[in-house]
Structures are given as structure tokens and as C-alpha cells.
Short mmCIF file of all heavy atoms in Angstrom, two decimals:
data_model
loop_
_atom_site.label_atom_id
_atom_site.label_comp_id
_atom_site.label_asym_id
_atom_site.label_seq_id
_atom_site.Cartn_x
_atom_site.Cartn_y
_atom_site.Cartn_z
N GLY A 5 89.59 72.58 103.64
CA GLY A 5 89.08 72.96 102.38
C GLY A 5 90.15 73.55 101.40
O GLY A 5 89.93 74.04 100.35
N LEU A 6 91.40 73.36 101.76
CA LEU A 6 92.50 73.83 101.04
C LEU A 6 92.97 72.82 99.99
O LEU A 6 92.90 71.65 100.21
CB LEU A 6 93.72 74.16 101.93
CG LEU A 6 93.51 75.34 103.03
CD1 LEU A 6 94.74 75.48 103.76
CD2 LEU A 6 92.96 76.65 102.26
N SER A 7 93.42 73.31 98.90
CA SER A 7 93.89 72.36 97.79
C SER A 7 95.23 71.74 98.22
O SER A 7 95.94 72.20 99.21
CB SER A 7 94.14 73.22 96.46
OG SER A 7 95.15 74.04 96.63
N ALA A 8 95.64 70.71 97.53
CA ALA A 8 96.94 70.08 97.86
C ALA A 8 98.11 71.02 97.69
O ALA A 8 99.00 70.99 98.51
CB ALA A 8 97.15 68.80 96.91
N THR A 9 98.00 71.91 96.67
CA THR A 9 99.06 72.92 96.53
C THR A 9 99.15 73.84 97.71
O THR A 9 100.29 74.16 98.21
CB THR A 9 98.83 73.62 95.18
OG1 THR A 9 98.80 72.72 94.09
CG2 THR A 9 99.95 74.69 94.97
N GLU A 10 97.92 74.25 98.15
CA GLU A 10 97.95 75.22 99.28
C GLU A 10 98.41 74.59 100.56
O GLU A 10 99.03 75.20 101.40
CB GLU A 10 96.43 75.72 99.38
CG GLU A 10 96.09 76.71 98.23
CD GLU A 10 94.57 77.03 98.26
OE1 GLU A 10 93.73 76.22 98.88
OE2 GLU A 10 94.16 78.01 97.63
N LEU A 11 98.01 73.28 100.69
CA LEU A 11 98.42 72.51 101.89
C LEU A 11 100.00 72.38 101.91
O LEU A 11 100.57 72.57 102.97
CB LEU A 11 97.80 71.22 102.01
CG LEU A 11 96.27 71.22 102.37
CD1 LEU A 11 95.66 69.77 102.17
CD2 LEU A 11 96.12 71.66 103.82
N ASN A 12 100.56 72.23 100.77
CA ASN A 12 101.99 71.99 100.74
C ASN A 12 102.65 73.43 101.06
O ASN A 12 103.75 73.42 101.60
CB ASN A 12 102.44 71.56 99.35
CG ASN A 12 102.10 70.16 99.06
OD1 ASN A 12 102.03 69.37 100.00
ND2 ASN A 12 101.92 69.67 97.86
N TRP A 13 102.03 74.48 100.50
CA TRP A 13 102.58 75.78 100.77
C TRP A 13 102.57 76.09 102.35
O TRP A 13 103.49 76.67 102.94
CB TRP A 13 101.67 76.87 100.09
CG TRP A 13 102.06 78.26 100.22
CD1 TRP A 13 101.38 79.23 100.76
CD2 TRP A 13 103.31 78.89 99.83
NE1 TRP A 13 101.98 80.43 100.79
CE2 TRP A 13 103.17 80.27 100.17
CE3 TRP A 13 104.50 78.37 99.21
CZ2 TRP A 13 104.20 81.09 99.90
CZ3 TRP A 13 105.47 79.32 99.02
CH2 TRP A 13 105.42 80.59 99.31
N CYS A 14 101.36 75.65 102.94
CA CYS A 14 101.21 75.84 104.44
C CYS A 14 102.36 75.08 105.14
O CYS A 14 103.01 75.61 106.08
CB CYS A 14 99.88 75.34 104.89
SG CYS A 14 98.52 76.39 104.34
N LYS A 15 102.53 73.81 104.66
CA LYS A 15 103.62 72.95 105.35
C LYS A 15 104.95 73.61 105.19
O LYS A 15 105.86 73.70 106.15
CB LYS A 15 103.57 71.61 104.71
CG LYS A 15 104.63 70.64 105.42
CD LYS A 15 104.42 69.22 104.78
CE LYS A 15 105.39 68.31 105.50
NZ LYS A 15 105.29 66.91 104.81
N ALA A 16 105.29 74.14 103.99
CA ALA A 16 106.57 74.82 103.82
C ALA A 16 106.84 75.99 104.59
O ALA A 16 107.96 76.37 104.93
CB ALA A 16 106.65 75.11 102.21
N ASN A 17 105.66 76.71 104.95
CA ASN A 17 105.84 77.95 105.76
C ASN A 17 105.51 77.75 107.19
O ASN A 17 105.51 78.71 107.99
CB ASN A 17 104.85 79.02 105.10
CG ASN A 17 105.38 79.57 103.82
OD1 ASN A 17 106.31 80.45 103.83
ND2 ASN A 17 105.02 78.94 102.70
N GLY A 18 105.20 76.43 107.61
CA GLY A 18 104.97 76.20 109.01
C GLY A 18 103.58 76.73 109.49
O GLY A 18 103.45 76.97 110.69
N PHE A 19 102.64 77.00 108.54
CA PHE A 19 101.27 77.50 108.95
C PHE A 19 100.50 76.27 109.40
O PHE A 19 100.34 75.25 108.64
CB PHE A 19 100.67 78.16 107.74
CG PHE A 19 99.32 78.70 108.05
CD1 PHE A 19 99.10 79.93 108.55
CD2 PHE A 19 98.24 77.85 107.74
CE1 PHE A 19 97.81 80.36 108.91
CE2 PHE A 19 96.93 78.37 108.06
CZ PHE A 19 96.74 79.57 108.55
N SER A 20 99.81 76.44 110.59
CA SER A 20 98.96 75.28 111.05
C SER A 20 97.64 75.65 111.61
O SER A 20 96.97 74.90 112.17
CB SER A 20 99.79 74.54 112.15
OG SER A 20 99.98 75.41 113.20
N GLY A 21 97.34 76.91 111.40
CA GLY A 21 95.91 77.48 111.78
C GLY A 21 95.94 77.93 113.22
O GLY A 21 94.80 78.24 113.77
N LYS A 22 97.08 78.01 113.84
CA LYS A 22 97.12 78.66 115.21
C LYS A 22 96.62 80.08 115.18
O LYS A 22 96.84 80.81 114.22
CB LYS A 22 98.48 78.63 115.80
CG LYS A 22 98.96 77.14 116.08
CD LYS A 22 100.44 77.21 116.61
CE LYS A 22 100.92 75.78 116.89
NZ LYS A 22 102.37 75.84 117.35
N ALA A 23 96.02 80.53 116.26
CA ALA A 23 95.55 81.89 116.42
C ALA A 23 96.70 82.85 116.20
O ALA A 23 97.82 82.63 116.77
CB ALA A 23 94.96 82.12 117.77
N GLY A 24 96.50 83.79 115.38
CA GLY A 24 97.54 84.79 115.11
C GLY A 24 98.44 84.55 113.86
O GLY A 24 99.13 85.40 113.41
N GLU A 25 98.38 83.33 113.29
CA GLU A 25 99.10 82.97 112.18
C GLU A 25 98.40 83.62 110.92
O GLU A 25 97.28 83.77 110.83
CB GLU A 25 99.29 81.46 111.91
CG GLU A 25 100.17 80.76 112.89
CD GLU A 25 100.34 79.38 112.70
OE1 GLU A 25 99.39 78.74 112.10
OE2 GLU A 25 101.39 78.83 112.88
N GLN A 26 99.30 83.90 109.94
CA GLN A 26 98.75 84.53 108.78
C GLN A 26 99.70 84.22 107.55
O GLN A 26 100.97 84.25 107.67
CB GLN A 26 98.70 86.09 108.88
CG GLN A 26 97.94 86.82 107.82
CD GLN A 26 97.73 88.32 108.24
OE1 GLN A 26 97.47 88.52 109.39
NE2 GLN A 26 97.93 89.21 107.30
N LEU A 27 99.12 83.78 106.43
CA LEU A 27 99.91 83.28 105.29
C LEU A 27 99.35 83.77 103.97
O LEU A 27 98.10 83.42 103.77
CB LEU A 27 100.02 81.79 105.36
CG LEU A 27 100.90 81.11 104.28
CD1 LEU A 27 102.32 81.67 104.34
CD2 LEU A 27 100.79 79.66 104.34
N ALA A 28 100.05 84.44 103.16
CA ALA A 28 99.54 84.93 101.87
C ALA A 28 99.69 83.76 100.84
O ALA A 28 100.73 82.98 100.94
CB ALA A 28 100.33 86.13 101.36
N VAL A 29 98.69 83.59 100.02
CA VAL A 29 98.66 82.49 98.98
C VAL A 29 98.51 83.20 97.63
O VAL A 29 97.59 83.95 97.46
CB VAL A 29 97.56 81.50 99.28
CG1 VAL A 29 97.54 80.44 98.15
CG2 VAL A 29 97.68 80.83 100.52
N ALA A 30 99.41 82.90 96.72
CA ALA A 30 99.36 83.47 95.34
C ALA A 30 99.03 82.44 94.27
O ALA A 30 99.22 81.23 94.60
CB ALA A 30 100.68 84.15 95.08
N ASN A 31 98.59 82.88 93.12
CA ASN A 31 98.36 81.86 92.04
C ASN A 31 99.65 81.72 91.29
O ASN A 31 100.73 82.28 91.61
CB ASN A 31 97.19 82.40 91.13
CG ASN A 31 97.52 83.75 90.56
OD1 ASN A 31 98.61 84.19 90.41
ND2 ASN A 31 96.47 84.46 90.03
N THR A 32 99.66 80.96 90.11
CA THR A 32 100.85 80.67 89.45
C THR A 32 101.40 81.92 88.75
O THR A 32 102.60 81.89 88.36
CB THR A 32 100.55 79.64 88.32
OG1 THR A 32 99.47 80.17 87.54
CG2 THR A 32 100.19 78.31 88.98
N GLU A 33 100.61 83.00 88.61
CA GLU A 33 101.16 84.22 88.03
C GLU A 33 101.77 85.10 89.22
O GLU A 33 102.12 86.19 88.94
CB GLU A 33 100.08 84.98 87.30
CG GLU A 33 99.71 84.42 85.94
CD GLU A 33 98.93 83.14 85.98
OE1 GLU A 33 98.05 83.06 86.92
OE2 GLU A 33 99.15 82.16 85.27
N GLY A 34 101.74 84.58 90.38
CA GLY A 34 102.17 85.49 91.51
C GLY A 34 101.18 86.42 92.08
O GLY A 34 101.57 87.28 92.90
N GLU A 35 99.93 86.34 91.66
CA GLU A 35 98.97 87.32 92.13
C GLU A 35 98.33 86.83 93.44
O GLU A 35 98.06 85.63 93.55
CB GLU A 35 97.91 87.53 91.10
CG GLU A 35 98.32 88.11 89.77
CD GLU A 35 97.24 88.07 88.76
OE1 GLU A 35 96.38 87.24 88.81
OE2 GLU A 35 97.42 88.85 87.76
N LEU A 36 98.15 87.72 94.41
CA LEU A 36 97.57 87.32 95.68
C LEU A 36 96.20 86.96 95.45
O LEU A 36 95.31 87.65 94.88
CB LEU A 36 97.75 88.50 96.68
CG LEU A 36 97.06 88.29 98.05
CD1 LEU A 36 97.85 87.29 98.84
CD2 LEU A 36 97.08 89.57 98.97
N THR A 37 95.80 85.82 95.95
CA THR A 37 94.41 85.25 95.74
C THR A 37 93.71 85.09 97.08
O THR A 37 92.48 85.22 97.15
CB THR A 37 94.42 83.90 95.02
OG1 THR A 37 95.20 82.92 95.75
CG2 THR A 37 94.97 84.00 93.56
N LYS A 38 94.50 84.78 98.14
CA LYS A 38 93.78 84.67 99.47
C LYS A 38 94.95 84.75 100.54
O LYS A 38 96.12 84.64 100.23
CB LYS A 38 93.20 83.32 99.58
CG LYS A 38 93.98 82.06 99.57
CD LYS A 38 93.31 80.79 99.81
CE LYS A 38 92.22 80.50 98.78
NZ LYS A 38 91.60 79.21 98.97
N VAL A 39 94.36 85.15 101.70
CA VAL A 39 95.29 85.16 102.92
C VAL A 39 94.67 84.19 103.88
O VAL A 39 93.45 84.40 104.28
CB VAL A 39 95.41 86.69 103.45
CG1 VAL A 39 96.14 86.59 104.75
CG2 VAL A 39 95.89 87.64 102.48
N LEU A 40 95.49 83.18 104.30
CA LEU A 40 94.95 82.27 105.28
C LEU A 40 95.19 82.92 106.70
O LEU A 40 96.23 83.43 107.01
CB LEU A 40 95.84 80.97 105.19
CG LEU A 40 95.87 80.29 103.88
CD1 LEU A 40 96.66 78.97 104.03
CD2 LEU A 40 94.45 80.02 103.31
N VAL A 41 94.16 82.78 107.44
CA VAL A 41 94.07 83.48 108.83
C VAL A 41 93.90 82.40 109.86
O VAL A 41 92.81 81.79 109.80
CB VAL A 41 93.00 84.53 108.92
CG1 VAL A 41 92.98 85.12 110.32
CG2 VAL A 41 93.27 85.65 107.87
N GLY A 42 94.79 82.15 110.68
CA GLY A 42 94.66 81.07 111.69
C GLY A 42 93.74 81.66 112.88
O GLY A 42 93.84 82.76 113.30
N THR A 43 92.86 80.81 113.23
CA THR A 43 91.87 81.19 114.27
C THR A 43 91.94 80.34 115.51
O THR A 43 91.07 80.36 116.45
CB THR A 43 90.37 81.21 113.72
OG1 THR A 43 90.10 79.92 113.37
CG2 THR A 43 90.20 82.19 112.59
N GLY A 44 93.05 79.40 115.55
CA GLY A 44 93.10 78.58 116.78
C GLY A 44 91.86 77.65 117.01
O GLY A 44 91.48 76.90 116.10
N ASP A 45 91.28 77.84 118.15
CA ASP A 45 90.09 77.00 118.49
C ASP A 45 88.77 77.62 117.95
O ASP A 45 87.72 77.12 118.31
CB ASP A 45 90.04 76.88 119.99
CG ASP A 45 91.18 76.04 120.57
OD1 ASP A 45 91.67 75.14 119.85
OD2 ASP A 45 91.60 76.34 121.70
N GLY A 46 88.92 78.72 117.26
CA GLY A 46 87.68 79.35 116.71
C GLY A 46 87.52 80.81 117.13
O GLY A 46 88.33 81.21 118.02
N ILE A 47 86.60 81.48 116.58
CA ILE A 47 86.43 82.93 116.92
C ILE A 47 85.38 83.18 117.85
O ILE A 47 84.25 82.62 117.74
CB ILE A 47 86.14 83.73 115.56
CG1 ILE A 47 87.24 83.49 114.63
CG2 ILE A 47 85.97 85.17 115.88
CD1 ILE A 47 86.89 84.00 113.13
N SER A 48 85.68 83.88 118.96
CA SER A 48 84.62 84.19 119.99
C SER A 48 83.71 85.37 119.51
O SER A 48 84.24 86.36 118.83
CB SER A 48 85.35 84.52 121.31
OG SER A 48 84.41 85.03 122.20
N ASP A 49 82.47 85.35 119.81
CA ASP A 49 81.55 86.46 119.46
C ASP A 49 81.80 87.70 120.25
O ASP A 49 81.30 88.77 119.93
CB ASP A 49 80.14 85.97 119.74
CG ASP A 49 79.62 85.05 118.55
OD1 ASP A 49 80.34 84.97 117.49
OD2 ASP A 49 78.52 84.50 118.72
N ASP A 50 82.69 87.62 121.32
CA ASP A 50 82.83 88.80 122.20
C ASP A 50 84.28 89.41 122.09
O ASP A 50 84.71 90.08 122.90
CB ASP A 50 82.59 88.49 123.61
CG ASP A 50 83.49 87.41 124.22
OD1 ASP A 50 84.41 86.86 123.47
OD2 ASP A 50 83.29 86.99 125.40
#
């Protein structure tokens, strides 16, 4: 569900959704808009 720009940003930073990965995403004004959080195979309820 990420935009092409966000996907390129992920590629440039080596972010692939692995558990423990974290990547800040800013808009064109440099303001933080979201933080991508890698969850690996998904989040366990326990």
C-alpha cells in the first residue's frame, strides 16, 4: 500500500519489512508523516 515514492525511499534505505526494521517517511516539506514498522511474518497476539 505504499506509494512509488515511498517504495523508492524504502529501497534506498534497505527497508524490506523484516521484523525490527523501522523507517521514518517525510513529506516534501521534510515533516514526518509516517513511520514504517517491519513486522516480518506478522504480529502474534501473545
Side-chain angles (χ1 to χ4, degrees):
L6 301 178
S7 68
T9 300
E10 290 169 339
L11 287 170
N12 288 334
W13 180 244
C14 291
K15 184 177 180 180
N17 287 276
F19 179 89
S20 62
K22 292 180 181 178
E25 288 185 328
Q26 193 169 317
L27 180 63
V29 178
N31 60 22
T32 56
E33 284 74 38
E35 298 171 335
L36 181 65
T37 58
K38 66 176 63 175
V39 177
L40 305 183
V41 178
T43 61
D45 295 329
I47 301 167
S48 172
D49 282 352
D50 60 3

